[in-house]
């Protein structure tokens, strides 16, 4: 009832019909068309679409059509209307004391509309309605006036009529078994549900037929309705239910995806003071997540932790005076408190599992912090929470399950919009149809492949690989039992299967010990998988948190971002000379190097310089340059137990200036220009490059793994090792930058040194696709991004910092990536690529240099672009046209 899209109701009815028929069931006792206008209703409540008749009619019609268009009988219930009761007909006979005029305009309206549109069945409730039939203690189920006169004659209904369960006390309190069954048939019901004593009922009905109480005509009419319904449902062509694959067919990914869709469109933001939702990354220094009545391991907490840095403060539903004071003091230390009522109840009699005591503590923390409260319960629970004056954000989740918690957390952080509206008046402050739309799409979010039009089952290979990762032929067996019905869909399925197969074959063929592959479409991460291990020996598996040395991706994910920011702020002119910003002797040919040329790799720089060789003699590090522990003048760490003289940064810079430029100013890839870029950034901003990009980009984006020198903030076991360096550092490099020059800079350099997991790197690329926006922060302008994502020189595929597509079968990206796409690769076995035209973002992380940097199988097998191409093919994208 809270959803913003009626068509989803039809989809739901269709899926319900599919599952029911797969089970061999042809009747669904739904939709509930009761108008729930009594908040104290103990039996209908969240079974209804809402309190407004128009809403109930509209949604019920879509549900009915979804069922009946797909061969399942819809049964509208509970006739003539169970919404305005405060008693449970399972336990008593509820009284509805409204006049007929009120019933006709409200409770009966859904039945009139659905009957007019072809409703097949109705279920009659156990209610006492004097205005329709004043016979004492006679439930509507047993009333000829209500069934024969009102339903059949006045409303013109000729479909099947079911009783509600005849074991409910709404009828059993006043009528005996057998007696109640006969009265139900006499009233006009066709099918009796849940008789208390079936043999007794059968005998009583036979006797009533024999003595003429139940006429042969009535029996014939009911039997004919039942036979027609069976024929309509296809039971004249009955086939037994196939047991094989039953569980898989019922729990398929399409059904789970529809469930996600329903939740996404229903969760309702009812309060959003100061536009707190979505929470902007970096807006709060200290954030507490407070699960009320539950522990840390719920999806709500885990999802928030994946997006934002936060502490978890557990709170019981009734903390008591002493506990409440301690919690209040604890929460006073935070800038933002995000609380959630978990493990709630559907029962109004238990206050839906909500306590005002916990709410008072949360609301009280609003005196010093900003507060958002999520209530995973019936919206009527809001009436229990008396004082929410200091609670600026309030979200209603309707039910307490993992997927609802996940989606609500995504709405709070802006990974998706909030679009729901209350279907009932929850309390005086929040009326029916109240809901506040909030922005979404501001962060990546993780979804099933079905969300973007693919199939989860197509990612798993069906056969073992025995040959190369390149080419298609070895994957043909994978398609043997694919049920795609045309060549195009078969090709797309093949492409998807190749993703897993290629990634695993890279391990089998020795290209890398493990890898992580991530792909997103339009901001939705539909593929995010780990393969293999961190090394070849210890067998620690790659996982979602695994951090890799990005190598030259540092150029785009650090230095280029910073340069773009300086350009946008007017602090750097792309057509200026290096000497306009740095103290370079005018006689040096480097003084006149144009920054635009340098960023496009056409300034004549050498590819790289092995600076470390000048610090060694006879294979040993020089003692005047290195120390085994930090000391004054030797604070820059190169590797474990190895520190270099601080002055060597200047020595490296001078070594570059002493290296002649090439007279050939065509494209030649080089690391050296980024030593200059780093110096310009640090001189302009007065801070080191690592601190600048962290404060301006990574923190505002909520990136927790990305940064330089990762061992300062995480354990080594989280980081994939790189080379076993036998020449320079004499150790296996883990947590320290692999690149020798960057290592000699203390791990912070413009061309290398950045570490990240796949999620954070994908976020950076998505931010660029978004036109510079992410997590509620506008970090760069689209105009700046477009300027840097442009090839400025004929015959040179490079943008400014970014790598770009080249001709077919050449360059760093696959043939299907559009000309507007951009990205970079890294020497350690990494790749990131973004495509604004197709909406695809691709990340591949590996440590192919472990243990030997000479291992070139990753490049030779073309694994990265093969996997990237598979994703493009899965969406049907063709090769980009030649220029």
């Amino acid at each position: 009832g809270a959803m913003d899209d009626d068509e989803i109701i039809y989809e739901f009815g269709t899926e319900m019909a599919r599952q029911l028929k797969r089970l061999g069931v042809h009747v669904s006792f739904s939709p509930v068309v009761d108008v729930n206008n009594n908040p104290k209703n103990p039996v209908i409540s969240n079974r209804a679409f809402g309190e407004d008749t128009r809403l109930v009619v509209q949604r019920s019609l879509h549900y009915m059509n979804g069922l009946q268009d797909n061969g399942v009988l819809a049964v509208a219930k509970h006739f003539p209307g169970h919404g305005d009761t405060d008693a449970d007909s399972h336990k008593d006979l509820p009284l509805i004391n409204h006049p007929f005029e009120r019933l006709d305009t409200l409770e009966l309206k859904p039945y009139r509309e659905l009957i007019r549109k072809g409703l097949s069945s109705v279920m009659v409730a156990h209610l006492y309605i004097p205005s329709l039939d004043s016979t004492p203690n006679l439930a509507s189920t047993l009333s000829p006036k209500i069934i024969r006169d009102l339903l059949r004659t006045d409303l013109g209904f000729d479909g099947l009529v079911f009783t509600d369960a005849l074991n409910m006390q709404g009828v059993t309190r006043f009528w005996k078994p057998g007696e109640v069954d006969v009265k139900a048939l006499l009233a006009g019901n066709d099918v009796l549900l849940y008789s208390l004593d079936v043999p007794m009922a059968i005998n009583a009905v036979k006797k009533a037929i024999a003595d003429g109480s139940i006429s042969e005509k009535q029996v014939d009419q009911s039997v004919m309705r039942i036979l027609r319904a069976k024929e309509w449902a296809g039971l004249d062509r009955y086939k037994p239910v196939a047991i094989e694959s039953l569980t898989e067919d019922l729990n398929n990914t399409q059904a789970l995806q529809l469930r996600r869709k329903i939740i996404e469109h229903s969760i309702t933001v009812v309060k959003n003071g100061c536009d707190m939702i979505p929470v902007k990354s970096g807006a709060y220094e200290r954030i507490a997540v407070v699960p009320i009545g539950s522990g840390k391991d719920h999806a709500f907490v885990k999802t928030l932790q994946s997006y934002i840095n936060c502490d978890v403060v557990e709170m019981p539903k009734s903390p008591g005076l002493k506990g409440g004071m301690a919690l209040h003091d604890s929460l006073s230390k935070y800038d933002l408190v995000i609380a959630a009522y978990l493990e709630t109840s559907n029962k109004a009699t238990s206050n839906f599992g909500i306590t005002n005591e916990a709410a008072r503590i949360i609301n009280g923390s609003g005196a010093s912090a900003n507060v958002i409260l999520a209530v995973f319960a019936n919206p009527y629970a809001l009436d229990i929470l008396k004082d929410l004056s200091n609670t600026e954000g309030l979200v209603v989740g309707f039910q307490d399950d993992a997927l609802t918690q996940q989606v609500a957390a995504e709405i709070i952080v802006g990974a998706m919009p909030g679009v729901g509206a209350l279907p009932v008046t929850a309390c005086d402050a929040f009326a029916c149809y109240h809901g506040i739309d909030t922005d979404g799409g501001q962060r990546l979010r993780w979804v099933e492949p079905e969300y973007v039009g693919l199939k989860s089952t197509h990612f798993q290979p069906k056969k073992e690989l025995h040959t190369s990762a390149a080419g298609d032929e070895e994957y043909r067996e994978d398609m043997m039992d694919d049920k795609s019905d045309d060549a195009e869909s078969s090709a797309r399925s093949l492409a998807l299967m190749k993703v897993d197969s290629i990634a695993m074959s890279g391990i089998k063929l020795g290209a890398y010990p493990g890898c992580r592959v991530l792909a997103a479409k339009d901001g939705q991460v539909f593929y995010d998988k780990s393969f293999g291990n961190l090394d070849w020996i210890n067998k620690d598996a790659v996982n979602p948190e695994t951090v890799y040395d990005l190598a030259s991706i540092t150029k785009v994910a650090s230095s280029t971002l910073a340069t773009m920011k300086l350009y946008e702020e007017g602090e750097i002119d792309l057509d200026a000379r290096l000497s306009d910003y740095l103290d370079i002797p005018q006689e040096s040919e480097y003084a006149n190097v144009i920054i635009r040329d340098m960023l496009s790799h056409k300034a004549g720089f050498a590819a790289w310089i092995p600076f470390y060789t000048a610090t060694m003699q006879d294979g040993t590090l020089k003692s005047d340059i290195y120390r085994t522990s930090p000391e004054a003048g030797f604070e820059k760490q190169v590797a474990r137990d190895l520190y270099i003289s601080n002055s060597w940064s200047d020595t490296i810079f001078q070594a570059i200036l002493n290296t002649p430029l090439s007279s050939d100013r065509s494209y030649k890839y080089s690391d050296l220009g980024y030593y200059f870029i780093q110096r310009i950034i640090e001189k302009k901003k007065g801070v080191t490059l690592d601190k600048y990009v962290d404060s301006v980009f990574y923190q505002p984006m909520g990136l927790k793994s990305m940064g330089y020198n990762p061992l300062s903030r995480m354990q080594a076991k989280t980081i994939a090792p790189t080379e076993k360096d036998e020449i320079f550092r004499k150790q296996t490099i883990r947590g320290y930058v692999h690149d020798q020059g960057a290592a000699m800079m203390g791990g912070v350099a413009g061309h290398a040194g950045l570490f990240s997991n796949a999620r954070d790197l994908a976020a950076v690329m998505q931010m660029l696709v978004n036109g510079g926006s992410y997590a509620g922060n506008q970090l760069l302008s689209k105009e700046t991004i477009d300027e840097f994502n442009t090839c400025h020189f004929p015959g040179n595929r490079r943008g400014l910092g970014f790598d770009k597509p080249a001709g077919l079968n050449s360059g760093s990206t696959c043939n299907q990536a559009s000309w507007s796409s951009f990205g970079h690769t890294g020497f350690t076995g990494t790749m990131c690529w973004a495509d604004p035209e197709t909406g695809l973002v691709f990340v591949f992380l590996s440590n192919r240099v472990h243990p030997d940097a000479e291992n070139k199988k990753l490049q030779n097998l073309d694994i990265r672009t093969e996997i990237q191409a598979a994703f493009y093919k899965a969406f049907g994208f063709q090769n980009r046209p030649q220029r």
Side-chain angles (χ1 to χ4, degrees):
M3 288 194 294
D4 65 332
D5 187 348
D6 289 342
E7 289 303 316
I8 302 174
I9 301 287
Y10 181 83
E11 292 179 48
F12 176 72
T14 298
E15 176 59 22
M16 284 283 288
R18 182 193 71 82
Q19 294 199 16
L20 288 168
K21 289 179 73 175
R22 181 66 183 87
L23 286 166
V25 177
H26 306 86
V27 181
S28 176
F29 292 137
S30 61
V32 171
V33 301
D34 299 316
V35 182
N36 198 89
N37 47 16
N38 188 336
K40 296 181 180 180
N41 195 319
V43 63
I44 302 303
S45 193
N46 63 349
R47 298 166 69 189
F49 281 114
E51 70 177 37
D52 182 80
T53 307
R54 180 173 58 87
L55 175 72
V56 172
V57 168
Q58 194 171 321
R59 299 292 162 89
S60 298
L61 278 171
H62 281 81
Y63 191 178
M64 176 190 82
N65 289 334
L67 290 169
Q68 295 187 170
D69 288 353
N70 293 280
V72 170
L73 295 167
V75 182
K77 64 182 186 184
H78 305 82
F79 185 82
H82 208 322
D84 194 5
T85 62
D86 56 11
D88 184 349
S89 53
H90 293 86
K91 302 175 181 178
D92 204 346
L93 180 62
L95 168 67
I96 296 182
N97 214 8
H98 295 301
F100 176 77
E101 291 74 21
R102 144 66 194 260
L103 297 171
D104 191 43
T105 57
L106 199 151
E107 278 82 3
L108 292 176
K109 191 169 183 180
Y111 293 96
R112 290 187 187 279
E113 293 297 320
L114 267 63
I115 290 169
R116 193 166 59 86
K117 294 294 180 68
L119 174 67
S120 61
S121 311
V122 167
M123 178 184 286
V124 185
H126 305 316
L127 303 169
Y128 181 51
I129 313 172
S131 63
L132 299 180
D133 190 336
S134 59
T135 305
N137 300 322
L138 186 68
S140 46
T141 334
L142 311 180
S143 169
K145 292 182 179 179
I146 292 175
I147 298 175
R148 292 189 184 281
D149 297 346
L150 177 59
L151 178 59
R152 292 287 191 202
T153 303
D154 293 353
L155 299 183
F157 181 66
D158 193 37
L160 280 178
V161 177
F162 292 82
T163 70
D164 207 339
L166 295 179
N167 67 336
M168 293 164 60
Q169 292 183 39
V171 289
T172 60
R173 280 189 62 190
F174 303 103
W175 309 96
K176 297 176 182 179
E179 183 182 28
V180 71
D181 303 273
V182 170
K183 291 187 74 65
L185 289 176
L186 286 170
N189 294 285
D190 299 304
V191 184
L192 313 185
L193 297 186
Y194 220 130
S195 178
L196 264 180
D197 189 327
V198 174
M200 185 181 293
I202 291 173
N203 289 332
V205 170
K206 284 182 177 180
K207 182 180 178 182
I209 293 172
D211 66 20
S213 300
I214 299 176
S215 70
E216 185 176 339
K217 179 181 179 181
Q218 179 186 343
V219 172
D220 288 345
Q221 287 174 338
S222 288
V223 170
M224 183 57 70
R225 289 191 192 100
I226 292 168
L227 290 174
R228 284 173 177 164
K230 287 186 176 185
E231 181 185 32
W232 179 89
L235 289 174
D236 55 337
R237 302 176 301 279
Y238 172 73
K239 292 181 181 179
V241 173
I243 302 302
E244 183 182 358
S245 301
L246 179 60
T247 301
E248 291 81 0
D249 289 347
L250 291 175
N251 296 280
N252 66 18
T253 50
Q254 290 89 339
L256 297 175
Q257 187 52 45
L258 176 58
R259 182 165 170 262
R260 175 190 284 272
K261 192 175 183 180
I262 291 168
I263 293 168
E264 289 175 349
H265 284 261
S266 62
I267 291 176
T268 304
V269 178
V270 297
K271 193 175 181 183
N272 194 21
C274 303
D275 292 327
M276 286 181 60
I277 302 173
V279 173
K280 290 184 178 181
S281 187
Y284 305 97
E285 188 172 343
R286 297 202 65 194
I287 302 175
V289 175
V290 185
I292 301 172
S294 184
K296 302 177 182 179
D297 294 331
H298 282 259
F300 183 75
V301 176
K302 289 181 177 178
T303 305
L304 288 175
Q305 286 177 319
S306 71
Y307 283 105
I308 57 178
N309 288 310
C310 55
D311 298 329
V312 179
V313 179
E314 297 181 60
M315 179 183 293
K317 291 182 181 178
S318 299
L321 179 60
K322 186 176 180 181
M325 291 176 65
L327 284 164
H328 184 274
D329 292 343
S330 177
L331 294 176
S332 66
K333 297 180 290 188
Y334 293 93
D335 306 309
L336 174 65
V337 173
I338 304 175
Y341 274 102
L342 303 173
E343 297 186 355
T344 56
S345 166
N346 277 329
K347 296 181 179 179
T349 53
S350 63
N351 288 331
F352 306 106
I354 300 294
T355 65
N356 200 36
E357 186 179 350
R360 279 198 299 267
I361 297 169
I362 294 298
N363 189 62
S365 67
S368 57
N370 296 284
V371 176
I372 296 172
L373 177 62
V375 180
F376 293 103
N378 191 306
Y380 289 131
L382 297 184
D383 196 41
I384 299 165
L385 307 177
K386 299 301 182 185
D387 183 10
L388 295 174
S389 57
N390 290 332
T391 302
E392 295 293 339
L394 186 58
V395 179
V396 177
F398 295 95
Q399 59 190 24
D400 186 19
D401 67 277
L403 186 54
T404 303
Q405 291 177 23
Q406 177 190 330
V407 173
E410 290 172 343
I411 289 172
I412 288 171
V413 298
M416 67 164 301
V419 296
L422 292 176
V424 294
T425 297
C427 58
D428 291 341
F430 305 119
C432 184
Y433 294 120
H434 174 76
I436 300 169
D437 289 350
T438 60
D439 294 334
Q442 299 189 2
R443 303 178 194 247
L444 288 171
R445 64 187 299 249
W446 275 251
V447 299
E448 296 83 7
E450 284 72 17
Y451 199 93
V452 293
L454 305 179
K455 291 183 178 180
S456 301
T457 53
H458 284 161
F459 287 111
Q460 294 86 36
K462 294 186 176 70
K463 302 292 180 183
E464 187 74 16
L465 287 182
H466 298 286
T467 56
S468 166
D472 287 346
E473 287 303 315
E474 65 271 30
Y475 301 104
R476 296 299 174 189
E477 279 194 311
D478 291 349
M479 294 301 301
M480 290 179 63
D481 42 332
D482 184 80
K483 297 181 174 63
S484 302
D485 45 19
D486 57 59
E488 180 181 353
S489 60
S490 292
R492 293 175 65 182
S493 298
L494 175 64
L496 288 171
M497 287 176 184
K498 285 180 62 177
V499 175
D500 280 18
S501 299
I502 299 172
M504 290 187 292
S505 70
I507 299 169
K508 179 174 290 190
L509 297 171
Y512 42 76
C515 67
R516 187 154 184 88
V517 182
L518 182 151
K521 178 76 165 69
D522 301 325
Q524 318 294 324
V525 179
F526 63 89
Y527 187 97
D528 186 10
K529 286 190 180 182
S530 302
F531 298 91
N533 302 304
L534 300 183
D535 59 31
W536 294 105
I537 300 172
N538 295 324
K539 305 301 181 185
D540 290 330
V542 177
N543 64 68
E545 306 306 321
T546 300
V547 168
Y548 285 88
D549 181 338
L550 299 183
S552 284
I553 288 177
T554 304
K555 294 180 174 72
V556 295
S558 174
S559 303
T560 299
L561 292 184
T563 305
M564 293 163 81
K565 195 68 175 178
L566 266 64
Y567 166 78
E568 195 167 279
E569 294 172 346
E571 295 195 57
I572 190 169
D573 181 352
L574 297 175
D575 296 307
R577 305 174 305 158
L578 284 180
S579 58
D580 292 331
Y581 299 103
L582 300 174
D583 294 329
I584 300 176
Q586 289 301 311
E587 62 272 16
S588 170
E589 55 185 338
Y590 284 86
N592 294 316
V593 168
I594 303 300
I595 292 174
R596 189 186 301 271
D597 293 358
M598 186 175 69
L599 290 172
S600 301
H601 296 275
K602 64 172 296 290
F605 287 1
W608 76 298
I609 300 172
F611 302 109
Y612 72 95
T613 59
T615 70
M616 302 182 71
Q617 186 172 358
D618 300 328
T620 303
L621 298 175
K622 294 179 179 179
S623 60
D624 61 329
I625 297 175
Y626 294 99
R627 298 288 187 272
T628 57
S629 60
E631 58 183 72
F634 293 83
E635 285 92 6
K636 292 192 174 182
Q637 190 167 12
V638 177
R640 186 182 67 252
D641 302 327
L642 187 61
Y643 297 80
I644 192 169
S645 169
N646 296 348
S647 64
W648 253 85
S649 297
D650 292 333
T651 305
I652 288 173
F653 191 66
Q654 190 59 49
I656 298 173
L657 294 178
N658 292 338
T659 303
L661 293 173
S662 170
S663 59
D664 181 4
R665 298 303 169 92
S666 60
Y667 166 67
K668 182 179 182 180
Y669 183 75
S670 173
D671 286 344
L672 302 185
Y674 287 87
Y675 288 90
F676 292 98
I677 285 295
Q678 179 182 4
R679 285 211 162 195
I680 293 172
I681 294 165
E682 292 180 345
K683 184 176 180 181
K684 284 286 185 181
K685 293 304 179 182
V687 295
T688 56
L689 175 62
D690 57 330
K691 291 180 179 178
Y692 179 70
V693 291
D694 185 66
S695 64
V696 175
F697 292 99
Y698 308 153
Q699 290 300 322
M701 291 180 67
L703 310 184
K704 296 193 283 186
S705 73
M706 183 171 281
Y708 291 87
N709 289 321
L711 290 174
S712 64
R713 60 187 186 278
M714 65 184 69
Q715 295 180 314
K717 65 181 181 181
T718 306
I719 308 166
T722 53
E723 185 178 5
K724 186 177 182 181
D725 186 351
E726 304 281 8
I727 299 173
F728 173 33
R729 289 158 285 191
K730 315 287 198 224
Q731 59 184 266
T732 296
I733 307 303
R734 186 170 194 174
Y736 302 98
V737 60
H738 174 264
D739 180 89
Q740 298 94 332
M744 296 170 71
M745 298 282 290
V748 180
H751 68 288
L754 198 64
F755 287 72
S756 179
N757 62 25
R759 289 195 303 249
D760 286 356
L761 182 55
V764 169
M765 303 309 288
Q766 187 65 46
M767 177 270 290
L768 295 168
V769 172
N770 291 350
S773 174
Y774 197 84
N777 296 305
Q778 190 69 40
L779 303 156
L780 294 167
S781 71
K782 184 179 183 301
E783 292 72 21
T784 296
I785 296 169
D786 290 344
E787 176 69 15
F788 279 69
N789 184 29
T790 297
C791 300
H792 292 267
F793 301 100
N796 184 341
R797 77 168 192 257
R798 295 274 171 170
L800 302 180
F802 295 108
D803 200 356
K804 299 277 294 172
L808 297 183
N809 302 314
S810 63
S812 299
T813 191
C814 68
N815 292 333
Q816 293 76 23
S818 74
W819 289 110
S820 66
S821 69
F822 56 91
H824 217 282
T825 57
F827 182 80
T828 51
T830 58
M831 178 179 178
C832 62
W833 211 268
D835 195 334
E837 188 172 314
T838 64
L840 283 172
V841 166
F842 171 66
V843 171
F844 178 95
L845 299 181
S846 79
N847 53 338
R848 68 100 193 161
V849 295
H850 178 74
D852 183 3
E854 294 305 310
N855 178 7
K856 301 187 185 302
K857 292 179 180 178
L858 177 67
Q859 298 96 306
N860 295 339
L861 294 169
D862 212 14
I863 287 174
R864 290 173 290 191
T865 51
E866 281 282 306
I867 293 176
Q868 184 191 26
F871 287 123
Y872 274 87
K873 292 175 183 177
F875 287 101
F877 293 120
Q878 306 299 314
N879 289 357
R880 59 181 173 273
Q882 292 281 33
R883 281 181 169 172

